[in-house]
Amino acid sequence: MSQLNRLPSETLQTLPCADGSVTITEVASSSPGDDWQWQLTLVDIGRDVEFPAHTDIRRQFVPLDAAVSVSFPDGRTLHLNRFDLAHFDQANDPGDCRPEAPTRSFNLKLRNDTQGELIVRPLNGTMVLLAPGGWRWFVLLLSGQAKVVADHRTHDLLQNDMLWIDPIPGHPVRIEGGGEIVLARLPIL
């Protein structure tokens, strides 16, 4: 049977970055410590910040509350509206981020050949999730209300609720409701 497990936000630890420019909440990772293959983070950005340089990760980055402009060492600038998803890696490593207003960003970081997918979108009605064997879903409801239905299990979501979905392969999972949602499809390692 598919499993639905709430991730209590009160158990998450938020820490300031060393220079005090942002606060970072590690939402989840494939393993504790620094030896993770995937990691989910929520970052509060209140002013212009520099992206930390990474040579060993690929990052999926999305601003949640306001648009941002991301600049690169080669002089390019990428404007991201709210919910626009950007992919960064060593060949496309950003320099800094300028928010139009204070915002949170959601990040999926991947190492080596680990795969994963970040989806951020409005929720209006019913959404069906599928996951082949060896995959799970993370859900964060940013606003609104929703109900997750997997097999004969249901779980209600309110704003800022987080949930892990471990589906049985081939069994669809429904999310019904209205609001805005962050989804991450992640491998079970």
Side-chain angles (χ1 to χ4, degrees):
M1 183 169 286
S2 296
Q3 298 296 312
L4 304 175
N5 296 302
R6 181 178 175 268
L7 176 61
S9 59
E10 58 272 10
T11 65
L12 303 179
Q13 187 174 18
T14 299
L15 299 171
C17 190
D19 66 4
S21 59
V22 299
T23 57
I24 302 170
T25 302
E26 182 181 319
V27 175
S29 63
S30 60
S31 58
D34 292 330
D35 194 29
W36 49 264
Q37 294 302 303
W38 59 258
Q39 183 183 65
L40 298 173
T41 60
L42 187 61
V43 180
D44 286 308
I45 306 169
R47 58 184 170 98
D48 295 2
V49 297
E50 288 185 31
F51 274 93
H54 292 290
T55 58
D56 65 336
I57 68 167
R58 299 175 324 278
R59 177 196 319 250
Q60 296 176 34
F61 169 92
V62 62
L64 300 178
D65 306 307
V68 300
S69 293
V70 177
S71 62
F72 296 86
D74 64 6
R76 290 179 296 132
T77 298
L78 174 64
H79 183 77
L80 297 170
N81 291 314
R82 187 173 178 257
F83 293 180
D84 284 350
L85 180 64
H87 294 262
F88 302 129
D89 58 22
Q90 184 177 0
N92 188 37
D93 204 16
D96 58 23
C97 176
R98 291 179 308 283
E100 288 184 359
T103 187
R104 296 168 295 164
S105 71
F106 202 87
N107 298 269
L108 168 57
K109 299 177 187 176
L110 303 166
R111 283 193 174 136
N112 302 316
D113 60 352
T114 304
Q115 297 298 308
E117 178 182 17
L118 186 60
I119 302 166
V120 181
R121 55 167 285 186
L123 174 65
N124 187 13
T126 300
M127 179 178 197
V128 177
L129 304 178
L130 299 174
W135 291 86
R136 68 193 311 207
W137 287 96
F138 168 82
V139 179
L140 164 60
L141 188 67
L142 293 173
S143 67
Q145 296 180 338
K147 177 175 21 177
V148 177
V149 181
D151 297 321
H152 300 291
R153 297 178 185 263
T154 62
H155 186 88
D156 292 325
L157 295 173
L158 299 174
Q159 183 173 338
N160 296 319
D161 280 348
M162 292 179 264
L163 183 72
W164 283 107
I165 303 171
D166 292 299
I168 295 175
H171 288 225
V173 174
R174 290 189 332 266
I175 301 177
E176 302 169 347
E180 298 170 325
I181 195 166
V182 174
L183 300 163
R185 188 173 65 100
L186 299 161
I188 299 170
L189 300 175

